[in-house]
Amino acid sequence: MSGSLLLSNIHIVTKTKVIENGFVGLRDGKIDYISTSPPTGNYEKVYISRENFYLLPGMIDIHIHGGYGADMMDATAEAMNTLADNLPSEGTTSFLATTITQNHHEIEHALKNVAQWKQSNEAQAGNQAQCIGIHLEGPFISKDKAGAQPVQWIKQPDIPLFKKWLDASDQLIRIVTFAPEEDTDFAFLSLLQEKNIIPSIGHTNAHHDMINLAAKHGARHVTHLYNAISSFQHREPNAVGAALTNENLHTELITDGIHSHPLSIKLAYLAKGSDRLIMITDSMRAKGLGNGTYEFGGQTVTVSGEKALLNDGTLAGSILRMKDGVKRIKQLTNCDWTEIAKMTSTNAAAQLGLDQLLGSIEVGKLADLVIWDESGELMMTICRGQIVFEKKEADH
């Protein structure tokens, strides 16, 4: 990977502050210069920022099934390329390809496909979002909280089967969503810890005591907060109450205003803070395609407006773009840009153990970056030092 680019006179959003009118140099796919003064070295290209443009780390979507006509479960290189090609247009520079509950052969086929595709794309020049692993959502979940996961394929944690899948994925599984009440002796949870895989509580009907006990045994993540987990009651806080109050649990949040009421989004922000929230899309193949009928996990999904629904009215993933989620949470919470960087990138990178390469703007890290205007419009996406998306002048 070669080439160099200087971003000049731009507000740089770091982990702790905003450096106004700064300079960031990108060379050979990495960040090599950050300062309030221009560099003495030469760069092939110079981007002069407009006033009040903000530079943030590229967004990391750790829970995404598909979009733009493709789904991870299609198990084709074409589907993976479609996702990777289109995600920079919404500001996503890295993602975890996410499965859905299916028969074990289809899951294995999809896992193998990601491993093969990733291996063949290792030398890519940086013109796509990068797949940094796999999120296995199901089938080790509760039938009582299936949501849009096909009930007929749900099963209790199966350690030999999971080990087979892990090998099929070339050890790329980074997160596993499971229901802790189905893992009766926490043997599966222990295996995930042993393999350095994030155990994520989701699609669970467990009581708050069970959630907190799972957290004591090493669970450290909650899948799409509020959705497909036991709901909060003032005398029975259940999974939602535990997720909001347990400081050892990071929580995913779909900020489309549909999966969670705007007030619930604000409540999550107030309870967890920007240090423990991770924004996700949980999007499916209909994202970017408009109204119509689509497929998700072998089920028919109808998209109308901003909703994607199964025939029985169950929400079936989302059609949310990360950039729209950012705009909504900023409007709802009045959070600042440093908090946006945490919730869209820094926290995810840290959870995944990739914070030496991703998640913040620091010298030596990958040059995965996004530029926003002060109103929350995405202006540019840079993947490994290359400008991959730029908002057209006429659209601004």
Side-chain angles (χ1 to χ4, degrees):
M1 194 180 298
S2 60
S4 61
L5 172 66
L6 178 67
L7 307 173
S8 65
N9 298 307
I10 195 163
H11 300 326
I12 307 165
V13 180
T14 72
K15 283 183 177 179
T16 57
K17 63 182 179 180
V18 177
I19 300 171
E20 296 187 353
N21 302 314
F23 297 82
V24 175
L26 316 177
R27 198 181 303 276
D28 297 330
K30 293 189 175 181
I31 300 168
D32 79 334
Y33 182 85
I34 302 171
S35 179
T36 54
S37 304
T40 55
N42 293 323
Y43 289 84
E44 294 170 21
K45 297 178 183 177
V46 177
Y47 172 82
I48 302 173
S49 171
R50 289 192 186 181
E51 187 178 1
N52 293 328
F53 275 19
Y54 292 81
L55 183 70
L56 274 71
M59 296 195 286
I60 303 171
D61 192 350
I62 62 171
H63 190 150
I64 173 171
H65 299 275
Y68 311 99
D71 188 289
M72 182 261 192
M73 297 299 291
D74 292 345
T76 64
E78 181 183 12
M80 292 299 296
N81 277 319
T82 296
L83 264 181
D85 287 344
N86 282 279
L87 288 179
S89 69
E90 57 186 87
T92 297
T93 55
S94 300
F95 67 102
L96 291 183
T98 306
T99 63
I100 190 171
T101 299
Q102 284 288 288
N103 73 63
H104 63 91
H105 296 297
E106 289 190 39
I107 291 174
E108 184 173 335
H109 187 40
L111 298 175
K112 284 181 177 177
N113 178 66
V114 173
Q116 292 166 357
W117 177 83
K118 187 168 169 56
Q119 187 175 24
S120 67
N121 279 36
E122 280 301 326
Q124 63 180 313
N127 59 351
Q128 294 179 315
Q130 60 173 334
C131 176
I132 53 175
I134 294 166
H135 181 160
L136 189 79
E137 187 182 15
F140 310 130
I141 57 177
S142 168
K143 290 184 178 181
D144 294 330
K145 292 293 181 181
Q149 303 277 329
V151 177
Q152 66 269 33
W153 303 115
I154 291 174
K155 59 185 299 172
Q156 286 189 310
D158 183 329
I159 288 177
L161 179 61
F162 178 74
K163 286 180 175 178
K164 184 181 179 185
W165 284 348
L166 189 57
D167 288 340
S169 76
D170 197 21
Q171 313 299 309
L172 284 174
I173 297 173
R174 302 285 183 248
I175 298 177
V176 174
T177 292
F178 76 111
E181 69 270 28
E182 300 298 321
D183 183 24
T184 52
D185 57 0
F186 290 140
F188 183 62
L189 175 53
S190 296
L191 175 67
L192 296 180
Q193 286 185 284
E194 178 189 320
K195 299 293 185 180
N196 199 28
I197 296 167
I198 296 170
S200 185
I201 297 167
H203 290 275
T204 175
N205 204 29
H207 190 264
H208 51 270
D209 288 339
M210 171 61 80
I211 302 299
N212 287 324
L213 184 61
K216 277 188 177 180
H217 280 78
R220 53 191 177 98
H221 197 87
V222 175
T223 296
H224 46 48
L225 179 65
Y226 300 122
N227 291 274
I229 62 176
S230 51
S231 58
F232 180 87
Q233 304 291 331
H234 64 291
R235 292 192 183 93
E236 293 289 342
N238 288 320
V240 168
L244 288 173
T245 57
N246 191 312
E247 294 185 357
N248 294 318
L249 294 172
H250 280 65
T251 56
E252 299 176 356
L253 188 64
I254 308 168
T255 57
D256 60 359
I258 294 168
H259 280 76
S260 301
H261 188 279
L263 279 179
S264 298
I265 294 173
K266 187 172 183 179
L267 173 62
Y269 168 76
L270 292 172
K272 299 300 291 184
S274 58
D275 289 335
R276 292 183 180 86
L277 277 182
I278 298 176
M279 288 174 52
I280 60 164
T281 64
D282 192 16
S283 63
M284 46 84 73
R285 74 168 74 246
K287 172 161 64 175
L289 300 184
N291 295 342
T293 301
Y294 303 91
E295 177 273 342
F296 184 48
Q299 306 160 107
T300 299
V301 177
T302 301
V303 173
S304 179
E306 295 184 19
K307 290 184 179 180
L309 302 174
L310 297 180
N311 291 334
D312 64 2
T314 301
L315 284 169
S318 85
I319 53 170
L320 178 67
R321 299 177 298 182
M322 282 288 277
K323 65 179 182 180
D324 298 326
V326 166
K327 184 176 288 189
R328 181 167 279 108
I329 200 169
K330 276 187 68 67
Q331 291 169 345
L332 290 171
T333 67
N334 200 32
C335 61
D336 62 31
W337 284 112
T338 58
E339 292 179 296
I340 290 294
K342 289 177 185 178
M343 294 186 289
T344 62
S345 190
T346 310
N347 297 343
Q351 277 287 83
L352 293 167
L354 296 175
D355 45 342
Q356 294 303 308
L357 285 175
L358 301 169
S360 59
I361 300 175
E362 298 177 67
V363 170
K365 290 194 174 183
L366 289 181
D368 284 354
L369 303 162
V370 283
I371 296 175
W372 304 87
D373 74 4
E374 60 184 335
S375 70
E377 289 291 333
L378 179 68
M379 305 309 299
M380 181 181 289
T381 303
I382 297 169
C383 295
R384 270 90 69 220
Q386 292 192 38
I387 298 173
V388 179
F389 166 80
E390 188 168 8
K391 191 173 179 68
K392 295 177 182 176
E393 197 72 29
D395 296 337
H396 182 48

